[in-house]
Amino acid sequence: MNKMLRPLAGAFLLVAGSAAAHNGVIHEAPHGGILKPVKNAHFEIVLAPAGGVRIYVTDPAGGALPASAASEISVEIDRPGRKTEYVTMLPDRTGTLWTGASQPIPDPKSVIRVGSVVRGASALIEVPRIQFPVYRKAAARPAKIAAKAGAPGAKHDH
């Protein structure tokens, strides 16, 4: 590697590591989706394999916020060679997340856009479908079923 590029590469890795830890807090998506920051909150966006979008709202430290923290959430899905799908998003009846019905999104070249107003701040994020782990996680077996089957590495209740 060129001696001039080494410091730049090191600086890039430092910045990339800081982004993953975001203010010293490491975030994991507890519902099997992906986390994306929006101005003064985070969204966990979950795509269901059979279709449908769920969005959970959290504060920047990862604490759950009620669905009412967002006054508006809209989703559109761009699939190659097809018309854009506009998903009607509404808070669920428990007030913990936003949900909307959509067609399945198996094509990794698709793009999901989320527009929102959270705590008075508007934001627009764009996420390539390839970033979502939905189809890998959908194939996983629940721990209790795996434990009964005697699967290696299964969690057992004691």
Side-chain angles (χ1 to χ4, degrees):
M1 179 184 283
N2 183 317
K3 289 182 183 182
M4 295 290 288
L5 295 178
R6 283 186 196 156
L8 291 175
F12 174 77
L13 291 174
L14 181 62
V15 169
S18 297
H22 188 64
N23 295 330
V25 177
I26 296 174
H27 299 288
E28 290 186 23
H31 303 98
I34 61 166
L35 286 171
K36 289 293 181 181
V38 291
K39 299 206 179 174
N40 54 5
H42 284 149
F43 286 161
E44 180 183 358
I45 306 165
V46 180
L47 303 179
V53 179
R54 295 188 317 261
I55 298 178
Y56 298 85
V57 184
T58 64
D59 63 28
L65 292 174
S68 61
S71 58
E72 183 178 332
I73 292 182
S74 60
V75 171
E76 64 182 43
I77 303 165
D78 279 335
R79 295 176 180 85
R82 293 179 58 186
K83 284 181 138 185
T84 299
E85 180 179 4
Y86 298 95
V87 180
T88 301
M89 299 295 293
L90 297 169
D92 80 328
R93 58 188 163 92
T94 66
T96 57
L97 69 142
W98 287 71
T99 63
S102 75
Q103 295 296 313
I105 313 168
D107 188 337
K109 294 179 183 172
S110 298
V111 175
I112 295 84
R113 288 186 194 86
V114 179
S116 64
V117 178
V118 179
R119 297 177 168 177
S122 62
L124 176 64
I125 56 176
E126 186 171 287
V127 187
R129 162 57 185 91
I130 199 162
Q131 291 184 6
F132 287 86
V134 64
Y135 295 96
R136 289 188 307 267
K137 289 196 179 237
R141 293 169 53 183
K144 286 187 178 184
I145 293 172
K148 286 181 183 178
K155 293 185 179 182
H156 298 278
D157 294 339
H158 294 281

PDB file of all heavy atoms in Angstrom, residues 80-109:
ATOM      1  N   PRO A  80     -37.022  -3.516  -9.768  1.00  0.00           N
ATOM      2  CA  PRO A  80     -36.596  -3.388 -11.168  1.00  0.00           C
ATOM      3  C   PRO A  80     -37.694  -3.868 -12.135  1.00  0.00           C
ATOM      4  O   PRO A  80     -38.275  -4.937 -11.945  1.00  0.00           O
ATOM      5  CB  PRO A  80     -35.367  -4.292 -11.257  1.00  0.00           C
ATOM      6  CG  PRO A  80     -34.869  -4.394  -9.856  1.00  0.00           C
ATOM      7  CD  PRO A  80     -36.096  -4.321  -8.988  1.00  0.00           C
ATOM      8  N   GLY A  81     -38.005  -3.021 -13.117  1.00  0.00           N
ATOM      9  CA  GLY A  81     -38.962  -3.412 -14.148  1.00  0.00           C
ATOM     10  C   GLY A  81     -40.415  -3.392 -13.723  1.00  0.00           C
ATOM     11  O   GLY A  81     -41.276  -3.869 -14.473  1.00  0.00           O
ATOM     12  N   ARG A  82     -40.731  -2.878 -12.534  1.00  0.00           N
ATOM     13  CA  ARG A  82     -42.121  -2.855 -12.062  1.00  0.00           C
ATOM     14  C   ARG A  82     -42.479  -1.451 -11.585  1.00  0.00           C
ATOM     15  O   ARG A  82     -41.608  -0.641 -11.294  1.00  0.00           O
ATOM     16  CB  ARG A  82     -42.309  -3.854 -10.916  1.00  0.00           C
ATOM     17  CG  ARG A  82     -42.162  -5.299 -11.376  1.00  0.00           C
ATOM     18  CD  ARG A  82     -42.306  -6.301 -10.281  1.00  0.00           C
ATOM     19  NE  ARG A  82     -43.588  -6.208  -9.595  1.00  0.00           N
ATOM     20  CZ  ARG A  82     -43.886  -6.919  -8.518  1.00  0.00           C
ATOM     21  NH1 ARG A  82     -43.006  -7.759  -8.013  1.00  0.00           N
ATOM     22  NH2 ARG A  82     -45.050  -6.789  -7.934  1.00  0.00           N
ATOM     23  N   LYS A  83     -43.776  -1.199 -11.447  1.00  0.00           N
ATOM     24  CA  LYS A  83     -44.229   0.084 -10.916  1.00  0.00           C
ATOM     25  C   LYS A  83     -43.863   0.179  -9.439  1.00  0.00           C
ATOM     26  O   LYS A  83     -43.835  -0.834  -8.731  1.00  0.00           O
ATOM     27  CB  LYS A  83     -45.754   0.211 -11.039  1.00  0.00           C
ATOM     28  CG  LYS A  83     -46.255   0.500 -12.420  1.00  0.00           C
ATOM     29  CD  LYS A  83     -47.755   0.634 -12.385  1.00  0.00           C
ATOM     30  CE  LYS A  83     -48.178   1.797 -13.249  1.00  0.00           C
ATOM     31  NZ  LYS A  83     -49.614   2.033 -13.153  1.00  0.00           N
ATOM     32  N   THR A  84     -43.618   1.394  -8.982  1.00  0.00           N
ATOM     33  CA  THR A  84     -43.338   1.625  -7.566  1.00  0.00           C
ATOM     34  C   THR A  84     -44.564   1.255  -6.740  1.00  0.00           C
ATOM     35  O   THR A  84     -45.689   1.607  -7.100  1.00  0.00           O
ATOM     36  CB  THR A  84     -42.974   3.112  -7.322  1.00  0.00           C
ATOM     37  OG1 THR A  84     -41.798   3.411  -8.085  1.00  0.00           O
ATOM     38  CG2 THR A  84     -42.718   3.384  -5.861  1.00  0.00           C
ATOM     39  N   GLU A  85     -44.343   0.530  -5.652  1.00  0.00           N
ATOM     40  CA  GLU A  85     -45.432   0.172  -4.738  1.00  0.00           C
ATOM     41  C   GLU A  85     -45.419   1.153  -3.567  1.00  0.00           C
ATOM     42  O   GLU A  85     -44.387   1.352  -2.927  1.00  0.00           O
ATOM     43  CB  GLU A  85     -45.257  -1.251  -4.209  1.00  0.00           C
ATOM     44  CG  GLU A  85     -46.360  -1.660  -3.252  1.00  0.00           C
ATOM     45  CD  GLU A  85     -46.220  -3.086  -2.715  1.00  0.00           C
ATOM     46  OE1 GLU A  85     -45.209  -3.758  -3.026  1.00  0.00           O
ATOM     47  OE2 GLU A  85     -47.111  -3.523  -1.973  1.00  0.00           O
ATOM     48  N   TYR A  86     -46.573   1.758  -3.310  1.00  0.00           N
ATOM     49  CA  TYR A  86     -46.720   2.682  -2.191  1.00  0.00           C
ATOM     50  C   TYR A  86     -47.442   1.944  -1.070  1.00  0.00           C
ATOM     51  O   TYR A  86     -48.560   1.464  -1.263  1.00  0.00           O
ATOM     52  CB  TYR A  86     -47.488   3.928  -2.621  1.00  0.00           C
ATOM     53  CG  TYR A  86     -46.756   4.682  -3.710  1.00  0.00           C
ATOM     54  CD1 TYR A  86     -47.056   4.462  -5.055  1.00  0.00           C
ATOM     55  CD2 TYR A  86     -45.733   5.559  -3.393  1.00  0.00           C
ATOM     56  CE1 TYR A  86     -46.364   5.121  -6.059  1.00  0.00           C
ATOM     57  CE2 TYR A  86     -45.030   6.230  -4.404  1.00  0.00           C
ATOM     58  CZ  TYR A  86     -45.359   6.002  -5.724  1.00  0.00           C
ATOM     59  OH  TYR A  86     -44.657   6.656  -6.711  1.00  0.00           O
ATOM     60  N   VAL A  87     -46.807   1.840   0.075  1.00  0.00           N
ATOM     61  CA  VAL A  87     -47.325   1.056   1.198  1.00  0.00           C
ATOM     62  C   VAL A  87     -47.991   2.006   2.203  1.00  0.00           C
ATOM     63  O   VAL A  87     -47.371   2.954   2.666  1.00  0.00           O
ATOM     64  CB  VAL A  87     -46.186   0.275   1.891  1.00  0.00           C
ATOM     65  CG1 VAL A  87     -46.725  -0.545   3.054  1.00  0.00           C
ATOM     66  CG2 VAL A  87     -45.460  -0.610   0.887  1.00  0.00           C
ATOM     67  N   THR A  88     -49.252   1.740   2.513  1.00  0.00           N
ATOM     68  CA  THR A  88     -49.957   2.523   3.525  1.00  0.00           C
ATOM     69  C   THR A  88     -49.515   2.043   4.896  1.00  0.00           C
ATOM     70  O   THR A  88     -49.731   0.884   5.254  1.00  0.00           O
ATOM     71  CB  THR A  88     -51.484   2.356   3.375  1.00  0.00           C
ATOM     72  OG1 THR A  88     -51.856   2.783   2.063  1.00  0.00           O
ATOM     73  CG2 THR A  88     -52.225   3.169   4.420  1.00  0.00           C
ATOM     74  N   MET A  89     -48.859   2.917   5.635  1.00  0.00           N
ATOM     75  CA  MET A  89     -48.350   2.577   6.964  1.00  0.00           C
ATOM     76  C   MET A  89     -49.248   3.196   8.031  1.00  0.00           C
ATOM     77  O   MET A  89     -49.621   4.374   7.939  1.00  0.00           O
ATOM     78  CB  MET A  89     -46.919   3.089   7.137  1.00  0.00           C
ATOM     79  CG  MET A  89     -45.914   2.504   6.158  1.00  0.00           C
ATOM     80  SD  MET A  89     -45.644   0.724   6.326  1.00  0.00           S
ATOM     81  CE  MET A  89     -44.842   0.656   7.925  1.00  0.00           C
ATOM     82  N   LEU A  90     -49.589   2.392   9.048  1.00  0.00           N
ATOM     83  CA  LEU A  90     -50.414   2.855  10.158  1.00  0.00           C
ATOM     84  C   LEU A  90     -49.858   2.308  11.468  1.00  0.00           C
ATOM     85  O   LEU A  90     -49.285   1.202  11.483  1.00  0.00           O
ATOM     86  CB  LEU A  90     -51.852   2.364   9.994  1.00  0.00           C
ATOM     87  CG  LEU A  90     -52.615   2.874   8.774  1.00  0.00           C
ATOM     88  CD1 LEU A  90     -53.916   2.106   8.604  1.00  0.00           C
ATOM     89  CD2 LEU A  90     -52.875   4.367   8.905  1.00  0.00           C
ATOM     90  N   PRO A  91     -50.039   3.039  12.573  1.00  0.00           N
ATOM     91  CA  PRO A  91     -49.642   2.463  13.872  1.00  0.00           C
ATOM     92  C   PRO A  91     -50.487   1.215  14.141  1.00  0.00           C
ATOM     93  O   PRO A  91     -51.669   1.174  13.798  1.00  0.00           O
ATOM     94  CB  PRO A  91     -49.964   3.565  14.875  1.00  0.00           C
ATOM     95  CG  PRO A  91     -50.063   4.816  14.072  1.00  0.00           C
ATOM     96  CD  PRO A  91     -50.543   4.394  12.709  1.00  0.00           C
ATOM     97  N   ASP A  92     -49.879   0.190  14.731  1.00  0.00           N
ATOM     98  CA  ASP A  92     -50.652  -1.015  15.048  1.00  0.00           C
ATOM     99  C   ASP A  92     -51.552  -0.724  16.251  1.00  0.00           C
ATOM    100  O   ASP A  92     -51.437   0.303  16.907  1.00  0.00           O
ATOM    101  CB  ASP A  92     -49.736  -2.214  15.284  1.00  0.00           C
ATOM    102  CG  ASP A  92     -49.110  -2.242  16.652  1.00  0.00           C
ATOM    103  OD1 ASP A  92     -48.844  -1.165  17.224  1.00  0.00           O
ATOM    104  OD2 ASP A  92     -48.883  -3.341  17.169  1.00  0.00           O
ATOM    105  N   ARG A  93     -52.454  -1.646  16.562  1.00  0.00           N
ATOM    106  CA  ARG A  93     -53.433  -1.391  17.630  1.00  0.00           C
ATOM    107  C   ARG A  93     -52.808  -1.322  19.015  1.00  0.00           C
ATOM    108  O   ARG A  93     -53.392  -0.763  19.930  1.00  0.00           O
ATOM    109  CB  ARG A  93     -54.553  -2.425  17.582  1.00  0.00           C
ATOM    110  CG  ARG A  93     -54.122  -3.851  17.703  1.00  0.00           C
ATOM    111  CD  ARG A  93     -55.301  -4.799  17.446  1.00  0.00           C
ATOM    112  NE  ARG A  93     -54.844  -6.128  17.180  1.00  0.00           N
ATOM    113  CZ  ARG A  93     -54.685  -7.055  18.107  1.00  0.00           C
ATOM    114  NH1 ARG A  93     -54.987  -6.813  19.347  1.00  0.00           N
ATOM    115  NH2 ARG A  93     -54.228  -8.243  17.774  1.00  0.00           N
ATOM    116  N   THR A  94     -51.588  -1.861  19.186  1.00  0.00           N
ATOM    117  CA  THR A  94     -50.928  -1.781  20.497  1.00  0.00           C
ATOM    118  C   THR A  94     -50.165  -0.467  20.669  1.00  0.00           C
ATOM    119  O   THR A  94     -49.740  -0.140  21.763  1.00  0.00           O
ATOM    120  CB  THR A  94     -49.931  -2.944  20.699  1.00  0.00           C
ATOM    121  OG1 THR A  94     -48.848  -2.797  19.770  1.00  0.00           O
ATOM    122  CG2 THR A  94     -50.605  -4.296  20.519  1.00  0.00           C
ATOM    123  N   GLY A  95     -49.970   0.266  19.559  1.00  0.00           N
ATOM    124  CA  GLY A  95     -49.251   1.531  19.619  1.00  0.00           C
ATOM    125  C   GLY A  95     -47.743   1.384  19.749  1.00  0.00           C
ATOM    126  O   GLY A  95     -47.060   2.317  20.134  1.00  0.00           O
ATOM    127  N   THR A  96     -47.211   0.201  19.396  1.00  0.00           N
ATOM    128  CA  THR A  96     -45.768  -0.025  19.557  1.00  0.00           C
ATOM    129  C   THR A  96     -44.980   0.044  18.258  1.00  0.00           C
ATOM    130  O   THR A  96     -43.754   0.158  18.297  1.00  0.00           O
ATOM    131  CB  THR A  96     -45.497  -1.390  20.216  1.00  0.00           C
ATOM    132  OG1 THR A  96     -46.107  -2.411  19.425  1.00  0.00           O
ATOM    133  CG2 THR A  96     -46.052  -1.446  21.624  1.00  0.00           C
ATOM    134  N   LEU A  97     -45.640  -0.038  17.103  1.00  0.00           N
ATOM    135  CA  LEU A  97     -44.941  -0.028  15.827  1.00  0.00           C
ATOM    136  C   LEU A  97     -45.879   0.408  14.723  1.00  0.00           C
ATOM    137  O   LEU A  97     -47.081   0.531  14.932  1.00  0.00           O
ATOM    138  CB  LEU A  97     -44.369  -1.406  15.493  1.00  0.00           C
ATOM    139  CG  LEU A  97     -45.393  -2.495  15.158  1.00  0.00           C
ATOM    140  CD1 LEU A  97     -44.848  -3.374  14.049  1.00  0.00           C
ATOM    141  CD2 LEU A  97     -45.698  -3.332  16.376  1.00  0.00           C
ATOM    142  N   TRP A  98     -45.315   0.646  13.546  1.00  0.00           N
ATOM    143  CA  TRP A  98     -46.078   0.968  12.347  1.00  0.00           C
ATOM    144  C   TRP A  98     -46.056  -0.264  11.442  1.00  0.00           C
ATOM    145  O   TRP A  98     -45.034  -0.941  11.338  1.00  0.00           O
ATOM    146  CB  TRP A  98     -45.434   2.141  11.617  1.00  0.00           C
ATOM    147  CG  TRP A  98     -45.631   3.457  12.301  1.00  0.00           C
ATOM    148  CD1 TRP A  98     -45.050   3.872  13.461  1.00  0.00           C
ATOM    149  CD2 TRP A  98     -46.461   4.531  11.871  1.00  0.00           C
ATOM    150  NE1 TRP A  98     -45.467   5.135  13.773  1.00  0.00           N
ATOM    151  CE2 TRP A  98     -46.330   5.568  12.812  1.00  0.00           C
ATOM    152  CE3 TRP A  98     -47.296   4.730  10.774  1.00  0.00           C
ATOM    153  CZ2 TRP A  98     -47.008   6.778  12.695  1.00  0.00           C
ATOM    154  CZ3 TRP A  98     -47.974   5.932  10.648  1.00  0.00           C
ATOM    155  CH2 TRP A  98     -47.827   6.943  11.606  1.00  0.00           C
ATOM    156  N   THR A  99     -47.182  -0.554  10.785  1.00  0.00           N
ATOM    157  CA  THR A  99     -47.255  -1.715   9.894  1.00  0.00           C
ATOM    158  C   THR A  99     -47.910  -1.326   8.576  1.00  0.00           C
ATOM    159  O   THR A  99     -48.696  -0.375   8.512  1.00  0.00           O
ATOM    160  CB  THR A  99     -48.057  -2.876  10.514  1.00  0.00           C
ATOM    161  OG1 THR A  99     -49.410  -2.453  10.715  1.00  0.00           O
ATOM    162  CG2 THR A  99     -47.458  -3.338  11.824  1.00  0.00           C
ATOM    163  N   GLY A 100     -47.600  -2.093   7.546  1.00  0.00           N
ATOM    164  CA  GLY A 100     -48.220  -1.900   6.241  1.00  0.00           C
ATOM    165  C   GLY A 100     -48.114  -3.160   5.409  1.00  0.00           C
ATOM    166  O   GLY A 100     -47.138  -3.902   5.525  1.00  0.00           O
ATOM    167  N   ALA A 101     -49.134  -3.403   4.602  1.00  0.00           N
ATOM    168  CA  ALA A 101     -49.151  -4.580   3.734  1.00  0.00           C
ATOM    169  C   ALA A 101     -48.424  -4.252   2.430  1.00  0.00           C
ATOM    170  O   ALA A 101     -48.591  -3.176   1.872  1.00  0.00           O
ATOM    171  CB  ALA A 101     -50.587  -4.998   3.444  1.00  0.00           C
ATOM    172  N   SER A 102     -47.597  -5.184   1.987  1.00  0.00           N
ATOM    173  CA  SER A 102     -46.891  -5.028   0.716  1.00  0.00           C
ATOM    174  C   SER A 102     -46.726  -6.395   0.073  1.00  0.00           C
ATOM    175  O   SER A 102     -46.910  -7.419   0.714  1.00  0.00           O
ATOM    176  CB  SER A 102     -45.506  -4.398   0.928  1.00  0.00           C
ATOM    177  OG  SER A 102     -44.607  -5.338   1.483  1.00  0.00           O
ATOM    178  N   GLN A 103     -46.342  -6.364  -1.181  1.00  0.00           N
ATOM    179  CA  GLN A 103     -45.960  -7.597  -1.860  1.00  0.00           C
ATOM    180  C   GLN A 103     -44.587  -8.022  -1.320  1.00  0.00           C
ATOM    181  O   GLN A 103     -43.832  -7.184  -0.826  1.00  0.00           O
ATOM    182  CB  GLN A 103     -45.869  -7.356  -3.373  1.00  0.00           C
ATOM    183  CG  GLN A 103     -47.192  -7.011  -4.007  1.00  0.00           C
ATOM    184  CD  GLN A 103     -48.182  -8.151  -3.899  1.00  0.00           C
ATOM    185  OE1 GLN A 103     -47.863  -9.306  -4.180  1.00  0.00           O
ATOM    186  NE2 GLN A 103     -49.388  -7.843  -3.464  1.00  0.00           N
ATOM    187  N   PRO A 104     -44.240  -9.306  -1.386  1.00  0.00           N
ATOM    188  CA  PRO A 104     -42.889  -9.731  -0.984  1.00  0.00           C
ATOM    189  C   PRO A 104     -41.826  -8.992  -1.799  1.00  0.00           C
ATOM    190  O   PRO A 104     -42.092  -8.546  -2.916  1.00  0.00           O
ATOM    191  CB  PRO A 104     -42.870 -11.231  -1.292  1.00  0.00           C
ATOM    192  CG  PRO A 104     -44.307 -11.632  -1.324  1.00  0.00           C
ATOM    193  CD  PRO A 104     -45.063 -10.428  -1.834  1.00  0.00           C
ATOM    194  N   ILE A 105     -40.627  -8.878  -1.236  1.00  0.00           N
ATOM    195  CA  ILE A 105     -39.545  -8.135  -1.895  1.00  0.00           C
ATOM    196  C   ILE A 105     -38.307  -9.032  -2.014  1.00  0.00           C
ATOM    197  O   ILE A 105     -37.282  -8.776  -1.399  1.00  0.00           O
ATOM    198  CB  ILE A 105     -39.206  -6.859  -1.098  1.00  0.00           C
ATOM    199  CG1 ILE A 105     -40.477  -6.117  -0.714  1.00  0.00           C
ATOM    200  CG2 ILE A 105     -38.278  -5.949  -1.902  1.00  0.00           C
ATOM    201  CD1 ILE A 105     -40.260  -5.017   0.293  1.00  0.00           C
ATOM    202  N   PRO A 106     -38.375 -10.100  -2.786  1.00  0.00           N
ATOM    203  CA  PRO A 106     -37.225 -11.008  -2.870  1.00  0.00           C
ATOM    204  C   PRO A 106     -36.070 -10.502  -3.726  1.00  0.00           C
ATOM    205  O   PRO A 106     -34.949 -10.947  -3.552  1.00  0.00           O
ATOM    206  CB  PRO A 106     -37.834 -12.276  -3.461  1.00  0.00           C
ATOM    207  CG  PRO A 106     -38.980 -11.787  -4.280  1.00  0.00           C
ATOM    208  CD  PRO A 106     -39.533 -10.594  -3.530  1.00  0.00           C
ATOM    209  N   ASP A 107     -36.328  -9.580  -4.648  1.00  0.00           N
ATOM    210  CA  ASP A 107     -35.281  -9.115  -5.561  1.00  0.00           C
ATOM    211  C   ASP A 107     -34.288  -8.219  -4.829  1.00  0.00           C
ATOM    212  O   ASP A 107     -34.649  -7.144  -4.353  1.00  0.00           O
ATOM    213  CB  ASP A 107     -35.904  -8.353  -6.728  1.00  0.00           C
ATOM    214  CG  ASP A 107     -34.903  -8.017  -7.818  1.00  0.00           C
ATOM    215  OD1 ASP A 107     -33.675  -7.961  -7.541  1.00  0.00           O
ATOM    216  OD2 ASP A 107     -35.338  -7.801  -8.963  1.00  0.00           O
ATOM    217  N   PRO A 108     -33.017  -8.630  -4.707  1.00  0.00           N
ATOM    218  CA  PRO A 108     -32.030  -7.827  -3.983  1.00  0.00           C
ATOM    219  C   PRO A 108     -31.742  -6.483  -4.636  1.00  0.00           C
ATOM    220  O   PRO A 108     -31.160  -5.606  -4.010  1.00  0.00           O
ATOM    221  CB  PRO A 108     -30.776  -8.707  -3.955  1.00  0.00           C
ATOM    222  CG  PRO A 108     -30.977  -9.719  -5.019  1.00  0.00           C
ATOM    223  CD  PRO A 108     -32.457  -9.865  -5.234  1.00  0.00           C
ATOM    224  N   LYS A 109     -32.180  -6.282  -5.878  1.00  0.00           N
ATOM    225  CA  LYS A 109     -31.972  -4.997  -6.547  1.00  0.00           C
ATOM    226  C   LYS A 109     -33.079  -3.990  -6.228  1.00  0.00           C
ATOM    227  O   LYS A 109     -33.013  -2.849  -6.650  1.00  0.00           O
ATOM    228  CB  LYS A 109     -31.865  -5.199  -8.055  1.00  0.00           C
ATOM    229  CG  LYS A 109     -30.630  -5.989  -8.448  1.00  0.00           C
ATOM    230  CD  LYS A 109     -30.573  -6.203  -9.942  1.00  0.00           C
ATOM    231  CE  LYS A 109     -29.367  -7.067 -10.282  1.00  0.00           C
ATOM    232  NZ  LYS A 109     -29.364  -7.450 -11.692  1.00  0.00           N
TER     233      LYS A 109
END
